Amino acid sequence: MKAGLLRHVLNLWPPFLFSGVHVTRLDTDYRHARVELRMRPWNRNYVRTHFGGSLFAMTDPFWMLLVMQSLGRDYIVWDKAGEIEFVKPGRGTVRASFDLEEDALNELRQATADGAKVLCWFDTDVIDAAGDVVARVRKQLYVRRKRDAHRGRGVELDTPR
């Protein structure tokens, strides 16, 4: 799917649409994405800050989508795990950026060349309008080449992306 169309589909996807998540950028090469979460009465919590589930949801699919689209159809890419650390209360519009570097893709290609599975962490900060970190999100992806019939040894890349 072309990146522009996927961006529009994601912006109309009910979990994003109704929680105030808006994809503001999705590059045609699937190497960069930017998302924002606007404060709405239905996505704030009891103390009038962003609901933590909305902060996590705004970041949830992007590392998987970027890696999957960048590696192509010869790879299996799945979300394996996720973590969020709430740093300070989120108010107003918050943003998250995803920048997939070529070095990370090359490392994944090399680590999976023999059919091995790779577990790799990617980090994203959610920031507010002042540039302060509101939350730190980590996503772990499972990546493996499809073509190799044999199962290789597992590799875990612990270096944050």
Side-chain angles (χ1 to χ4, degrees):
M1 179 181 296
K2 290 188 177 185
L5 177 59
L6 180 58
R7 186 175 70 82
H8 290 296
V9 167
L10 287 170
N11 284 330
L12 295 173
W13 188 42
F16 278 3
L17 180 66
F18 295 119
S19 63
V21 175
H22 184 73
V23 182
T24 60
R25 175 181 172 184
L26 183 57
D27 286 6
T28 57
D29 64 359
Y30 284 94
R31 300 297 168 85
H32 307 283
R34 196 171 316 133
V35 182
E36 68 181 23
L37 174 63
R38 302 167 184 153
M39 179 66 82
R40 301 285 189 252
W42 51 87
N43 68 6
R44 65 180 177 215
N45 61 24
Y46 184 74
V47 293
R48 301 172 104 34
T49 63
H50 278 291
F51 174 62
S54 296
L55 291 171
F56 189 77
M58 74 181 283
T59 65
D60 186 35
F62 291 98
W63 285 117
M64 185 186 79
L65 288 172
L66 294 180
V67 171
M68 181 185 301
Q69 291 295 328
S70 294
L71 288 177
R73 295 180 183 256
D74 291 339
Y75 291 84
I76 297 169
V77 181
W78 288 100
D79 279 324
K80 174 88 168 110
E83 302 172 354
I84 187 166
E85 175 191 2
F86 300 107
V87 177
K88 70 175 265 189
R91 294 183 175 87
T93 300
V94 296
R95 292 175 176 77
S97 293
F98 308 86
D99 298 303
L100 181 58
E101 302 295 332
E102 187 64 31
D103 289 346
L105 291 170
N106 288 335
E107 193 174 341
L108 288 169
R109 286 182 191 106
Q110 185 177 16
T112 59
D114 67 351
K117 73 173 183 178
V118 173
L119 301 176
C120 186
W121 287 97
F122 292 88
D123 297 332
T124 306
D125 287 340
V126 178
I127 59 170
D128 63 15
D132 295 331
V133 175
V134 172
R136 290 188 176 97
V137 179
R138 295 187 81 210
K139 294 291 300 229
Q140 186 183 52
L141 299 184
Y142 166 100
V143 181
R144 185 174 59 81
R145 279 188 63 85
K146 284 183 183 177
R147 284 191 206 160
D148 297 340
H150 71 283
R151 295 204 182 247
R153 66 192 186 337
V155 177
E156 185 161 346
L157 303 176
D158 205 21
T159 308
R161 305 280 169 243

